Amino acid sequence: MVHEANVKQAAAEKQLKEAQGKIDVLQAEVTALKTLVLTSTPSSPNRQLHPQLQPSGTRGAYKHVGGHVRNKSASGGFPSSPGKPEPSSVSIQPAAKEDREMDSVLYAEFLMWKENPSVERSSAFLSRIYREDIGPCLSFTRSELSQLVQSAVENNSLTIEPVAMSALPMVKASAIECGGPKKCALSGISRLCRHRIKLGDKGSYYYISPSSRTRITAVCNFFTYIRYIQQGLVRHDAEQMFWEVMRLRREMTVAKLGFYITDQG
């Protein structure tokens, strides 16, 4: 009986050591993941976490060098020749400094929301942003589909993916509401659609124009950041968080006016 007890004790100790080893590995992975998340903000996204944020036309133009993302088109610089001035002598006009002034009402609403952060629109902070930014930014010609898109963004269940232009399927007559390679499903405008969206687990894909994609992405970036705050992953002071929120609001405003950056092939 003593021998049997010793055998069981040894087996139990072995299982305990194995379990502790697995816990250590998992804790290390969680720490590494948090580090990646903390270095990723909508203003400076970590492309390892958000590869979908890279324009489809430029993904091949980036190269990882020593853990950093580098643009091939900017690599190599300018070759110097004997008797010619170095390119460093070329004067570059510095960008104008942007001044800003905090709105006390907006800041007070943000501070009140930050005490108990939530993605619910019941707070004055989010209610205002829904009314002034999110709603107009996601208001398209097809209102019913616009509501579905907004719900998917809120639930974090919307997928945006690039479309291989050389392998686009023919759109059947019964699927006209999903748009097509040359017609945006949200705006109904004839545009070359290089991306499509999927809402949750539904099987339908909706082709979207570059402008529609920019508007959706701007709202997604906003929700990503406030979720980071809600989960305690943003280690900035309240004022820094507030100005990042204001920057994201500006991005939604610019996007809803129709401005977007084109992909460079």
Side-chain angles (χ1 to χ4, degrees):
M1 292 178 64
V2 173
H3 175 71
E4 184 178 354
N6 291 336
V7 171
K8 290 182 179 181
Q9 182 179 356
E13 290 177 351
K14 181 180 179 181
Q15 291 177 353
L16 178 59
K17 289 182 180 180
E18 292 177 352
Q20 288 177 338
K22 292 180 180 179
I23 291 173
D24 291 340
V25 172
L26 290 174
Q27 287 179 338
E29 292 177 353
V30 169
T31 302
L33 180 58
K34 283 186 176 181
T35 301
L36 285 175
V37 171
L38 288 172
T39 58
S40 175
T41 64
S43 61
S44 181
N46 189 314
R47 298 185 184 276
Q48 296 180 19
L49 290 176
H50 308 288
Q52 73 277 12
L53 296 182
Q54 293 186 17
S56 59
T58 60
R59 291 181 183 180
Y62 287 90
K63 181 179 180 182
H64 287 274
V65 181
H68 298 280
V69 178
R70 182 180 177 186
N71 193 327
K72 284 185 178 180
S73 63
S75 64
F78 300 92
S80 58
S81 302
K84 292 185 179 181
E86 293 293 330
S88 59
S89 63
V90 179
S91 62
I92 300 176
Q93 295 295 331
K97 183 179 179 180
E98 182 182 48
D99 291 328
R100 59 191 184 185
E101 181 177 341
M102 181 179 293
D103 186 295
S104 59
V105 175
L106 298 181
Y107 189 55
E109 291 177 352
F110 172 75
L111 290 179
M112 188 176 298
W113 171 83
K114 186 176 174 294
E115 291 180 0
N116 186 23
S118 170
V119 294
E120 300 296 329
R121 67 176 77 183
S122 56
S123 66
F125 167 72
L126 278 185
S127 178
R128 177 189 297 273
I129 296 177
Y130 264 97
R131 182 176 65 255
E132 298 178 357
D133 303 306
I134 297 174
C137 197
L138 296 182
S139 178
F140 297 94
T141 303
R142 291 192 57 194
S143 57
E144 184 177 347
L145 181 57
S146 299
Q147 291 297 323
L148 294 176
V149 169
Q150 180 170 319
S151 297
V153 172
E154 293 170 346
N155 299 329
N156 200 23
S157 60
L158 182 142
T159 303
I160 303 179
E161 62 181 36
V163 178
M165 303 307 292
S166 60
L168 286 172
M170 294 298 293
V171 181
K172 298 180 181 179
S174 60
I176 293 299
E177 70 276 3
C178 296
K182 297 183 179 181
K183 185 176 182 180
C184 179
L186 285 165
S187 66
I189 298 176
S190 296
R191 289 288 186 274
L192 185 61
C193 301
R194 297 182 178 274
H195 291 82
R196 63 184 185 178
I197 59 175
K198 185 178 181 182
L199 310 178
D201 296 330
K202 295 182 179 180
S204 298
Y205 284 93
Y206 300 91
Y207 292 88
I208 57 174
S209 67
S211 176
S212 297
R213 177 204 175 202
T214 300
R215 290 166 67 171
I216 295 172
T217 302
V219 179
C220 288
N221 286 342
F222 170 77
F223 274 103
T224 296
Y225 189 67
I226 64 171
R227 288 192 185 102
Y228 283 174
I229 297 176
Q230 182 187 22
Q231 296 166 11
L233 299 176
V234 181
R235 297 180 181 177
H236 293 153
D237 59 37
E239 186 171 334
Q240 287 177 300
M241 293 182 190
F242 172 78
W243 281 118
E244 178 64 11
V245 168
M246 293 302 104
R247 189 195 67 79
L248 293 169
R249 291 191 64 184
R250 182 175 62 183
E251 291 297 318
M252 287 188 281
T253 299
V254 172
K256 74 185 178 186
L257 292 176
F259 294 96
Y260 61 91
I261 299 175
T262 57
D263 296 345
Q264 300 296 324

